[in-house]
Amino acid sequence: MSITTFVHPVVGPASAAVAVILLTLLVRTVLLPTGVAQAKADQTRARLAPKLRALQKKYRGDRERLQRETMQLYADEKASPLTGCAPVLIQAPIVGLVYALFLHGSISGHPNALLTEHLLGVPLGASVTGLVGSGGMTLASGAVFAGLIAAIAVVAEVTRRCFRPQPATEDSPLGGAGSARLLGALQFASAVSAVFIPLAAGLYLLTTVTWTLGQRLLLRRRYPLTSPPHAGSPGPA
């Protein structure tokens, strides 16, 4: 990899691992506009949510009228119910292609040289399950994987706490406790998957979830889901 060659004079034996991180950051930077689009879509959905709930309550017995009024609302607001889908559809194939670079031992019939490189003595192509199954797990390699998995879990927990769903309202279709538990479980799926994937893919995953957390925090400040109070409105007593 050209990135590996470029950073080798600076980081030495860790150059391949650093190259994985830099490539991931480069891809996430290129995809930043889709993250902005997703944040705007989330803001629009949050702004329209009370109006949609009011329509659902008003026309709950007339599905056809509800559909017409809903589409009219989106038209009046110059929005689309599918706005948030486009950024996801754009990101998915790109992220999946880059992720595959760190998963497979061969690419287009050629050995994936990246996975033969090492980080702190652990091959980037090694996984926890593979090392345990072959009897090759050592204290040093166990410490590397433990640190990686712990880091992913910490980022997942911070993400869960920062973006904890609001309690469900009376007209919400899902119970607040149930949806919160489901979201919490999904946040840690990435940490669990790191047990089964190569170390290179784990580094990619850690970089991705860390970038995503930072990006969401910054974009949430730029595109908040709640409207600021109007000028002249009374403050708290």
Side-chain angles (χ1 to χ4, degrees), residues 5-87:
T5 305
F6 179 75
V7 301
H8 187 272
V10 179
V11 296
S15 57
V18 172
V20 171
I21 296 173
L22 291 178
L23 178 59
T24 305
L25 293 176
L26 176 62
V27 171
R28 302 307 304 189
T29 301
V30 171
L31 293 175
L32 184 56
T34 63
V36 174
Q38 185 68 55
K40 290 181 178 179
D42 291 342
Q43 186 184 49
T44 298
R45 280 196 297 267
R47 177 169 55 84
L48 296 182
K51 298 180 181 180
L52 290 172
R53 285 196 296 267
L55 289 177
Q56 291 167 0
K57 186 175 182 179
K58 184 176 181 179
Y59 301 110
R60 65 176 58 183
D62 188 343
R63 296 180 61 86
E64 183 177 347
R65 179 69 183 276
L66 173 60
Q67 184 177 8
R68 289 201 308 269
E69 294 293 337
T70 299
M71 297 309 297
Q72 185 60 50
L73 173 63
Y74 279 111
D76 293 342
E77 298 287 344
K78 295 180 174 57
S80 168
L82 301 178
T83 300
C85 298

Side-chain angles (χ1 to χ4, degrees), residues 61-214:
D62 188 343
R63 296 180 61 86
E64 183 177 347
R65 179 69 183 276
L66 173 60
Q67 184 177 8
R68 289 201 308 269
E69 294 293 337
T70 299
M71 297 309 297
Q72 185 60 50
L73 173 63
Y74 279 111
D76 293 342
E77 298 287 344
K78 295 180 174 57
S80 168
L82 301 178
T83 300
C85 298
V88 176
L89 294 177
I90 293 173
Q91 291 186 51
I94 300 175
V95 172
L97 179 62
V98 176
Y99 188 45
L101 294 176
F102 310 130
L103 283 177
H104 304 294
S106 62
I107 300 176
S108 300
H110 301 284
N112 189 349
L114 172 68
L115 299 186
T116 64
E117 300 290 338
H118 293 71
L119 173 64
L120 301 178
V122 183
L124 293 183
S127 66
V128 173
T129 52
L131 290 177
V132 171
S134 64
M137 179 65 76
T138 64
L139 183 61
S141 57
V144 170
F145 279 106
L148 174 68
I149 295 171
I152 295 175
V154 168
V155 175
E157 175 62 13
V158 173
T159 302
R160 186 187 69 84
R161 289 177 178 270
C162 290
F163 298 95
R164 185 174 298 167
Q166 298 298 320
T169 58
E170 292 181 0
D171 51 357
S172 175
L174 293 176
S179 59
R181 283 194 297 268
L182 177 60
L183 180 61
L186 291 176
Q187 291 293 341
F188 291 94
S190 54
V192 174
S193 67
V195 175
F196 305 95
I197 59 179
L199 178 58
L203 290 172
Y204 167 83
L205 199 57
L206 173 59
T207 307
T208 295
V209 296
T210 304
W211 172 281
T212 301
L213 171 60

Side-chain angles (χ1 to χ4, degrees), residues 218-237:
L218 291 175
L219 291 179
R220 181 60 60 86
R221 294 187 65 181
R222 177 65 178 82
Y223 304 102
L225 299 185
T226 56
S227 302
H230 296 289
S233 59

